[in-house]
Structure formats: structure tokens, C-alpha cells
Amino acid sequence: MLMIDTHMMNDTREICQELQDTYAQLTNLLVFVTNHEGQLITAPSNIDDASVFDKYGSELQNMFKTEIDKLQGIRHTILSDQWVPGVKWLIAPVSVDQSDTGMYVWGGILIQQGTLQSIITHPNYLQPESGAPADFIELMRSWIQNTGEISPDQEIFKREKITKFAKALSLILKSSFKENRLTQRLNALNETLITEQGVGNPIEEITRAVLASSDLADVFGFALKTAPGKYTIMNSMGMNSGTLGGSIFHEGEGFLGQAVLSAQPSRWRDISRDPRNHFFQQKGLDSVYEVQCFPIRYENEVYGLLFGLSFKERSTPSINPQFEETMISLMGWYIGNHITYEKMEKQLQRFKPLIELSRMIISVQDIQRVMFMLVDMSLNLVWNPSASIVVHRSSEDGKIQMVARGMQSPKGETYAKDIARRYLDNSDKPGASSFINSSTPFSLMLEYPIVYADRTRAVLCVAVSNEQEGEECREILSALAMMGSVVMKSVHDRQQYLSNSNRFAHILHEAIREWNVAHYQLTADAQKIVQEFAMWGGIIKEEAEVIGRACLMSCTDPSMLRSFPHLFQQEAEMIEDYKHIQDDQSILGTGSYSKGGQIMALAFAIATAGDHDMRVVNDLQINGVDQGLVSQFRLFVLSRHTLQTEINLVEEKAPATKTLTAEGAEGRGLDAIVKQFGLSPREKEVLELVVKASSNKEIAATLFISEHTVKNHLTNIFNKMGVTDRAQAIAAVFNKSIG
Amino acid sequence: MVAESDVITLQMECTLFFENNPYAIETSSGLSKRLGRSQQVTEQALNRLAEMSILEKNGQGMRAIYRYKAPYIQTEVDLNAYD
């Protein structure tokens, strides 16, 4: 029952009172207005002494209430003489909603022509046992006696006027009621929006609050897109709506699924026999009459749906339905806007760190390090990190490299092979776009081909929790994969550059053989010494590569070398310095020449001495070469001499090793040693590098560990193998390989 | 209140630090001094990396130490040996 009287504002009450008094005067009737509880809403009209109504308020209210209870359901003005037989009252209902009567207009007294005498002479005429207070009975008596009899025409006139007054009252109250409810609604909305600002994750709370205070429907729901074409009801409120939460529907499926395809709000009425109603019936909502849907959109993208369910027809909604529909449509737009903002915010939060990362990653010159970074950084960038893998094919020998986190063998390897088969085998058609793969042993995987040098050479694959997250992460991961492409291309170009440099250097070197075999051999020896110096730890590997090439091309005119675009610039400078050192006898130990030139001078000095290098080195002193470098080289030659001696001893003990390659040793001897002595995978890697004559420093650099850790590994390896030094360990591996 | 982008940036910096120093063992306090960041945010970033299994965390609170967990590496997966 609507308590419309509570919405009667003061100014409205005054207008109603004025109208009531006017109609009372026009009809010459006593007129009251009560609510459905029998309480007087306005002051009685046409009554001289109304104090009795104040004095006996509750008793009179009971009288009216008793009468109202008998009149439940009346829609038109009626005549009643329940209180005193023959003394009639017009009773007109006042309704705001057709289904609910909120107030009643009472108009009296009407006494038909020729009946007054029989009324007042009736034995039960206004007896005290009627329940009414004595003062009121006395008042009634005076009203009846002062009321004249009326003709049927007069009765019809009075009935029409009282009916019109009730209708006018109804219109005024409807307007007032709507205005009042609208004010309340706006206040509630305002309060909700102010209160919810700043609360964590407010969007669902605001939606809940806004929908809960709407009377457009009995049940409201809030569904979000959780995957392309798939929606999940996140929130529901209203009678028996709890079962809706968590329900899933798809685009085009049922009322809700059809609504998300529409750009406009949708409405279906009288759906009880519609098969699409089955979705709600399954959730225990058996008697849905009407469905109203408001898509949550922003620009061209649908993010979800707000919907309302009504269980009965609302013939005259109490609040302007257009306002409510507009309000909820705006709410949908607001949510869509909010979701877009959140999505962009998430991406922006990651783009800034990604740009920072690009500054650091660009200097990496090792493919495996790039793979490490791609795997770890991808996990930093996705919303819900769980697994990532990078598969890389570096050569044409059917072997691939993989670096993975969150996935282990053998599933990881199986997936890596699948990736290689789909992306890396098809070398003619580099695929550049990402792909969401749902048929993996893991969760959904976002796969990004990494293309450089006209081929797909690697693939970055990152697990995402659902397709929606995949869509949202796609761009940021694409940027990371693109960055990986650039860095891998840089490493690839550098390798190509080195490969080309080495190839040209060897061609020039071979050319020397034609006219000077002795110098050909000398330059080859000098290059070998430089490489050994690097392995010993005197210089880094990359530096040794350049100096080694300079040694090979030392007979070539530096100006001719400079004519190669982007090649041999450093080598030409070194050769020039080396030649100046050779020619210049005036400068001693100043080190003003390039380090490469100085090392060349030292390497050629040792190479020229041949087997007598130990004797040479003791007197080693070259003009223009830094004394510190000379001392370092002296130590190197000393250790080189010792190492060669050790190797010779081993060779004497096991001559067959001369024919073995390091790869052969790794293939058979190493595996056998690992198996026999129970070496860990890390120890195996260390031993493998020891067999390849890597120094501790080089092993540390290759495996990304400290030299101290290398020494620890070596100690453990020696203990397990029962050997005392690396030479014995190498010998054991070689022995195993021929055993 | 630290911006989310700053926390993610720090996560990445911490990741790079441990990738470059894979055998380093650090506390949030030690690493915050190295990186010149507040200890609170560094701890937040380190804990996220531990949740991602990029780092291994031992201990709790200020005494927790973090070290890099090497990813799973296979350098020679034979493509010809299809499953």
C-alpha cells in the first residue's frame, strides 16, 4: 500500500484543503479526507466546531478504518449508510497507482426525499451502543437534523462533484508523489555517489546502490564480459535474486544474450510463456513478467549488461520510467567508461616500466639473456602471472632453445616443440600477429612470434587466466615481443657482423699464404696466442676477436681495410699502432698506443720466438708497450707453458685422445662421468666447459655465476670424481670416451 | 601511496638486478639501498616477484632474504624427436 499522504508536501496540502473546501461549499456536504488507515489528512470542511475530531481522534479513526476495511477494492464512488441507516455518505477512492488506493474522500450527509422522519424516529437511531463517542453522536444528530432532504437529481450532482474532487485530488497527489519520490531518488543517488567516492573498487558498490534504490524492476543484475562473447552475472539484488550471481550467458543466448548485441536498451513484456524465460526459471525465478536490459558500452565496445526483472505488470510506475531508464543507461555508460579507464590505466601503468626496460635491455648482447628477460618481464607485465616461455631457433640443425618459468619438463618441452613446429619450421611465412591458444597443456597461452631478418626466429608465449585478460594484455605483451625482436635482431646483426668480419679476415689471411707462407703461419700463431690470452683471462673474448683478426690481417694496408664499409675500423687502427710500435724506438713503456696494438706487438713477439717463448718472455720489453701489460703477458706465457706441459703428459699417457674432439668427449665421456659419479646438472655444465678448456672466469661468464661459485663447483666435481685438478678431470672424461 | 607504475618499474629493476647477479642473496633493506628506493616499496616489489616464482623468499618480514630462481632452460631440444 502506498503511503501517498506522507508525500503530500505543505503547499500541496494547502491546495488540497482549498479544493476540498470549495467542493464542500459547492455540494453543501461535510467533506473529510482520510488515508487508508482512517486518519484525517486535511481539516474537515463545512463543520463549524471541528474540535470533536481532535478530542476523539482515535475513536473516529477506528470508525473510518472499520468502514474502509469493508470497502477494500472499490474503484468508484459509492454510497454507504453503514453508520446510520438511511443517512448516506459518498465515499470516493483516491489512488495514485491504479492497483493501490491510498486515500478516501468522504462526503455527507445525503438524505433522500421523504426519509428523514423515518430515520430519526427509528428505534435504533444513533444509539450510544453504536460505538461512537457521545459527543460525536450528538454532533451527528445535529448534522442530520440540519440537513435537508435531497432529490435524486441533487444526489447525482453531489456524487459527480465528490467524484471529480477525488480525481482532482488524485492528480495533484500523483504529481506531488512523483516529485517527492524523484527528490528522494536524486538525494539517494547523490548520497551514494558522494559516499562511494574513494572507496576501493567502487564500481560494483555504486551500481548496487543505484539499482537498489530504483523501483523500475523487482530484481536487478549486473553482468560483465569475462571472455569474448561470454558474460558472467557479477551481482544481483532483489527478491530471490541470489541464485543469479555467477550465472553465465553468451552473446545471442536468451534475453540477456540478445540484449548485449543491441546498442540500445531492450525490453520484453509478458514473457512467462517465452522459452527464453527458461534461463530465469532455472535460477528459481518462475514468474518473471518483464525483462529490461541496458547494455554497458563505451564507444563501440560492449563490456556488460545491467538488467531488471519485474514479476508483475507495472501499469503506472510511481517514478517517471523515462528518468529511470535514462539513469540506468547512464549508469551503463559510466561503468563502460570506468572499465575502459581501468583497462587503459593498467596498460599505462605497464608501458612506463616497459619504456624504462627498453633502455636496459637494448645493451644485452646475448640471446639467452634476452630470453631470460622476455620470460621474467612478461610475468611482470600480465595481470595474473603464472607461466611464460620463450622458444628460439638459433640454427638450422633441428635444435631449439627454450627458457621457461611456471612450466616444467616434459610438458614444457612438448609445448616448445609444438611452438617450433607451428612457428619456426615454416621459415617462408613469418607470422607477425599474436594468437590466443587454448589447446595447450597449461592455461590459455598468448603466443607472439618474434620476427627478425625476414624469419620467425623465436616465440614468446605467456599464460593468461582468461580470454578477457588475454585481450587486455595483448598490446603490452606485443610491445614486449617487439622489443625482444629489436634486441634479438641487434644480437643477430652483431653475430652476422662478426661472422662476416671473420670470413673476410680469413680470406685476406689465406691470400698471404700465396706469397709468404712464413708470415701466414706467424700471423696465425699470433692470433692463437691472443685467443689463449683471452681464455687465460687477460682480455675479454670480444676484444680478443678483434685483435685476433688484426693479427691475421697485419700485412694488409690499414687504409685498404678502412675502405670496407662498417668493417675492420678497429682492426685498421690496431694494425697502425702495431706498426708504429714496431717502427718507433723512441717511446718506451708509455702505453700511448691502443691496447690492441700493444697486445699485437706482444703476441707477435711470442709467436716469433716459437718454442723459446719462455726465454723471450723473461727479457720481454717492447718500446711503446705498457709495462703492466708486459707483466701480465709474462704471467700468461708462464701459465701457458705449464698447461701445455700438462696436456703433453696426458697425451703421452693416453695417445688415443689426440683423435678425439671436444664434442665427442661430451657425447660419450661426459655423460658416462655424470652417470658414474652422480654429478648434478650444474656440475655437468661446469665440467663440460672445463673440457672445452674454459678458464674459471669464462665459465663464470658463460653460466652467469661468480668465479667463487665456479671454484666451489670444481671442488665438488673433483671430490666426486676423486681427482685433484682440472687436468685429471679432463683426462678422466677423455678416458671414459674411449673406454 | 605509491603509484602502481612505480611498483612495476621497481619489480623490473629488481628482476634485472637478480638476472645480472643470479647468485646474489639480498634483503629488502639491502636491495633498497642498492637501488636507492624506499624499503617499503622494495619489499612490496620483491614479494610480488616471489609470488611469481621469479625470486625465492626465505624468512619473513625484515629478515626475509631473496634470491633468484633460475628459469627452466633447455638449450638443445631436438625438433626431429617429435612426440
Side-chain angles (χ1 to χ4, degrees):
Chain A
M1 181 68 71
L2 295 169
M3 294 291 288
I4 58 173
D5 55 298
T6 60
H7 300 284
M8 192 186 270
M9 311 293 283
N10 283 338
D11 53 348
T12 313
R13 195 182 296 272
E14 275 179 26
I15 292 169
C16 291
Q17 184 71 59
E18 191 71 28
L19 199 63
Q20 178 186 324
D21 292 344
T22 305
Y23 271 93
Q25 209 167 6
L26 181 68
T27 56
N28 197 26
L29 291 174
L30 309 171
V31 179
F32 313 119
V33 178
T34 69
N35 64 13
H36 69 281
E37 293 290 337
Q39 285 175 319
L40 286 174
I41 302 302
T42 54
S45 301
N46 265 356
I47 294 175
D48 296 333
D49 182 12
S51 61
V52 69
F53 291 95
D54 297 328
K55 191 175 175 183
Y56 298 108
S58 60
E59 287 86 349
L60 291 174
Q61 183 184 342
N62 286 338
M63 281 177 61
F64 286 125
K65 181 74 171 76
T66 308
E67 191 66 13
I68 287 167
D69 289 344
K70 293 175 188 166
L71 302 173
Q72 288 290 337
I74 65 163
R75 296 286 178 269
H76 307 287
T77 307
I78 61 160
L79 268 171
S80 169
D81 61 351
Q82 287 288 327
W83 290 325
V84 182
V87 177
K88 298 176 185 175
W89 287 83
L90 286 163
I91 306 171
V94 178
S95 64
V96 174
D97 186 317
Q98 283 183 4
S99 59
D100 295 313
T101 302
M103 295 170 73
Y104 293 90
V105 174
W106 307 76
I109 300 169
L110 290 83
I111 299 173
Q112 271 186 314
Q113 261 179 347
T115 60
L116 178 61
Q117 196 56 36
S118 60
I119 291 168
I120 59 175
T121 57
H122 194 276
N124 293 333
Y125 174 59
L126 288 176
Q127 289 302 307
E129 58 268 25
S130 63
D135 290 358
F136 187 73
I137 289 174
E138 194 54 42
L139 189 64
M140 285 275 282
R141 216 173 251 144
S142 76
W143 288 342
I144 292 166
Q145 283 164 4
N146 292 330
T147 302
E149 294 175 329
I150 57 169
S151 65
D153 289 344
Q154 285 175 313
E155 185 182 305
I156 291 169
F157 172 78
K158 288 174 195 283
R159 175 197 282 261
E160 281 177 359
K161 293 303 168 194
I162 289 298
T163 303
K164 281 191 177 172
F165 169 56
K167 280 186 179 173
L169 204 55
S170 175
L171 286 172
I172 291 169
L173 289 176
K174 269 183 193 175
S175 170
S176 173
F177 173 67
K178 280 186 181 179
E179 190 181 335
N180 200 13
R181 282 298 300 271
L182 188 60
T183 305
Q184 283 183 346
R185 176 92 170 105
L186 289 174
N187 287 340
L189 286 172
N190 199 26
E191 198 174 324
T192 301
L193 295 174
I194 290 170
T195 309
E196 297 295 343
Q197 271 179 358
V199 178
N201 192 23
I203 192 70
E204 287 192 11
E205 292 304 316
I206 291 177
T207 308
R208 174 177 278 274
V210 168
L211 295 182
S213 58
S214 170
D215 59 0
L216 195 66
D218 298 311
V219 167
F220 282 102
F222 169 43
L224 277 182
K225 191 199 284 189
T226 47
K230 182 179 164 187
Y231 296 79
T232 305
I233 298 176
M234 313 304 286
N235 234 323
S236 60
M237 59 221 76
M239 193 168 53
N240 301 325
S241 66
T243 51
L244 282 173
S247 302
I248 290 169
F249 62 90
H250 295 85
E251 269 177 9
E253 181 186 87
F255 295 117
L256 305 184
Q258 287 176 11
V260 294
L261 294 175
S262 169
Q264 302 296 324
S266 310
R267 172 182 291 179
W268 291 270
R269 282 182 171 155
D270 197 10
I271 63 162
S272 56
R273 293 188 180 179
D274 193 311
R276 292 173 291 184
N277 191 21
H278 184 62
F279 177 82
F280 301 116
Q281 287 170 340
Q282 275 184 320
K283 314 296 174 197
L285 300 169
D286 291 324
S287 54
V288 178
Y289 173 81
E290 182 179 16
V291 181
Q292 296 178 77
C293 298
F294 304 88
I296 298 171
R297 301 175 69 92
Y298 187 76
E299 294 188 340
N300 293 324
E301 192 165 353
V302 178
Y303 293 111
L305 189 72
L306 292 170
F307 62 91
L309 309 176
S310 301
F311 297 115
K312 62 180 179 182
E313 183 177 7
R314 288 171 183 258
S315 51
T316 314
S318 52
I319 296 185
N320 189 336
Q322 281 78 29
F323 168 79
E324 281 301 312
E325 286 170 13
T326 307
M327 184 69 213
I328 296 175
S329 290
L330 275 174
M331 199 65 215
W333 178 84
Y334 169 73
I335 295 169
N337 194 1
H338 186 85
I339 292 170
T340 306
Y341 174 79
E342 272 194 337
K343 201 165 76 170
M344 287 174 67
E345 178 73 5
K346 269 185 177 177
Q347 291 181 340
L348 283 174
Q349 284 165 352
R350 283 156 176 82
F351 267 113
K352 185 186 161 198
L354 194 62
I355 291 165
E356 294 283 325
L357 174 68
S358 67
R359 293 179 191 155
M360 297 180 258
I361 198 175
I362 202 74
S363 60
V364 178
Q365 290 297 342
D366 179 83
I367 287 287
Q368 187 162 300
R369 282 293 308 281
V370 180
M371 293 169 75
F372 269 53
M373 282 187 177
L374 288 175
V375 164
D376 286 344
M377 295 309 162
S378 64
L379 291 175
N380 275 289
L381 291 173
V382 293
W383 304 174
N384 299 298
S386 61
S388 178
I389 180 171
V390 175
V391 183
H392 177 252
R393 186 172 191 176
S394 54
S395 62
E396 306 301 323
D397 61 358
K399 300 279 177 63
I400 54 167
Q401 292 171 275
M402 60 171 276
V403 172
R405 203 181 274 286
M407 55 179 73
Q408 296 296 328
S409 183
K411 282 184 179 176
E413 283 176 30
T414 306
Y415 179 56
K417 284 179 185 176
D418 177 50
I419 287 290
R421 190 169 60 240
R422 287 191 285 120
Y423 290 96
L424 307 181
D425 269 5
N426 192 2
S427 57
D428 296 333
K429 294 178 184 173
S433 58
S434 60
F435 172 67
I436 295 184
N437 187 354
S438 57
S439 57
T440 72
F442 310 98
S443 51
L444 285 176
M445 297 297 287
L446 266 176
E447 298 171 353
Y448 291 88
I450 294 176
V451 181
Y452 58 90
D454 302 327
R455 287 185 55 180
T456 304
R457 293 175 186 270
V459 186
L460 167 66
C461 313
V462 187
V464 288
S465 52
N466 55 52
E467 288 183 39
Q468 189 65 23
E469 186 191 339
E471 288 297 324
E472 290 175 8
C473 295
R474 191 188 280 267
E475 287 177 24
I476 190 82
L477 288 176
S478 180
L480 179 68
M482 188 67 72
M483 197 184 292
S485 297
V486 171
V487 179
M488 283 187 170
K489 183 177 186 312
S490 162
V491 176
H492 175 263
D493 287 349
R494 182 175 163 75
Q495 286 170 349
Q496 286 294 109
Y497 165 79
L498 287 173
S499 172
N500 288 338
S501 301
N502 288 336
R503 197 181 310 141
F504 284 126
H506 279 97
I507 290 169
L508 290 171
H509 183 233
E510 285 297 321
I512 300 171
R513 196 211 299 253
E514 298 299 317
W515 51 273
N516 192 340
V517 176
H519 198 81
Y520 169 83
Q521 189 57 50
L522 180 67
T523 51
D525 289 346
Q527 185 216 21
K528 190 180 170 194
I529 288 166
V530 170
Q531 285 174 345
E532 287 176 5
F533 183 54
M535 286 171 67
W536 177 77
I539 49 176
I540 61 170
K541 191 179 167 188
E542 288 75 14
E543 208 175 0
E545 290 274 343
V546 182
I547 301 170
R549 282 196 298 275
C551 290
L552 292 179
M553 301 183 293
S554 56
C555 294
T556 312
D557 181 4
S559 59
M560 192 273 277
L561 289 179
R562 284 202 168 93
S563 66
F564 286 96
H566 310 300
L567 288 176
F568 304 140
Q569 305 306 306
Q570 284 179 285
E571 288 86 341
E573 188 188 345
M574 287 177 189
I575 292 169
E576 276 175 348
D577 283 351
Y578 162 60
K579 288 185 174 174
H580 282 139
I581 291 169
Q582 278 190 317
D583 297 341
D584 192 350
Q585 297 301 314
S586 62
I587 306 169
L588 182 65
T590 60
S592 59
Y593 295 113
S594 67
K595 189 180 176 186
Q598 295 179 50
I599 290 172
M600 280 180 73
L602 291 167
F604 273 104
I606 302 299
T608 308
D611 292 338
H612 308 292
D613 56 357
M614 277 310 294
R615 264 174 278 164
V616 170
V617 84
N618 288 334
D619 306 322
L620 196 61
Q621 195 169 25
I622 303 173
N623 291 348
V625 177
D626 181 70
Q627 279 305 301
L629 191 59
V630 171
S631 303
Q632 199 182 5
F633 224 80
R634 193 175 285 136
L635 286 172
F636 153 65
V637 173
L638 189 65
S639 69
R640 177 174 178 256
H641 197 265
T642 309
L643 188 63
Q644 281 178 343
T645 308
E646 284 176 359
I647 289 170
N648 287 339
L649 284 173
V650 172
E651 284 174 348
E652 280 169 20
K653 197 173 177 181
T657 58
K658 285 179 181 173
T659 58
L660 285 173
T661 61
E663 288 73 19
E666 284 167 38
R668 289 177 292 169
L670 199 62
D671 288 342
I673 290 286
V674 169
K675 195 173 176 185
Q676 181 179 348
F677 298 109
L679 301 188
S680 70
R682 199 60 164 178
E683 287 165 352
K684 183 189 173 187
E685 287 176 338
V686 173
L687 184 58
E688 193 175 356
L689 291 167
V690 167
V691 170
K692 289 179 177 173
S694 299
S695 66
N696 286 358
K697 190 172 183 178
E698 200 162 7
I699 294 170
T702 307
L703 299 179
F704 300 107
I705 57 179
S706 69
E707 280 190 74
H708 180 73
T709 310
V710 173
K711 284 176 187 169
N712 282 342
H713 281 308
L714 283 174
T715 306
N716 290 336
I717 292 166
F718 295 162
N719 286 339
K720 285 182 181 178
M721 292 176 66
V723 297
T724 55
D725 55 31
R726 63 207 302 149
Q728 287 183 10
I730 294 167
V733 172
F734 275 65
N735 282 334
K736 231 13 164 187
S737 67
I738 59 170
Chain B
M1 184 79 180
V2 182
E4 176 67 10
S5 63
D6 290 338
V7 181
I8 298 173
T9 304
L10 189 53
Q11 275 175 233
M12 290 186 163
E13 279 184 41
C14 292
T15 306
L16 283 177
F17 170 80
F18 280 104
E19 280 180 358
N20 292 332
N21 304 278
Y23 283 80
I25 296 176
E26 278 289 354
T27 60
S28 58
S29 167
L31 198 59
S32 67
K33 282 175 190 158
R34 275 176 182 270
L35 301 177
R37 302 297 188 94
S38 85
Q39 199 227 327
Q40 190 188 356
V41 186
T42 308
E43 188 175 353
Q44 190 183 348
L46 289 172
N47 285 337
R48 285 193 191 179
L49 293 174
E51 282 172 20
M52 292 177 202
S53 292
I54 290 175
L55 300 184
E56 184 180 298
K57 180 182 178 184
N58 287 307
Q60 290 297 323
M62 296 280 284
R63 290 185 175 179
I65 53 171
Y66 302 85
R67 63 186 290 264
Y68 188 61
K69 279 178 80 174
Y72 177 69
I73 311 165
Q74 270 294 346
T75 52
E76 289 199 344
V77 179
D78 191 351
L79 276 184
N80 297 322
Y82 282 138
D83 302 312

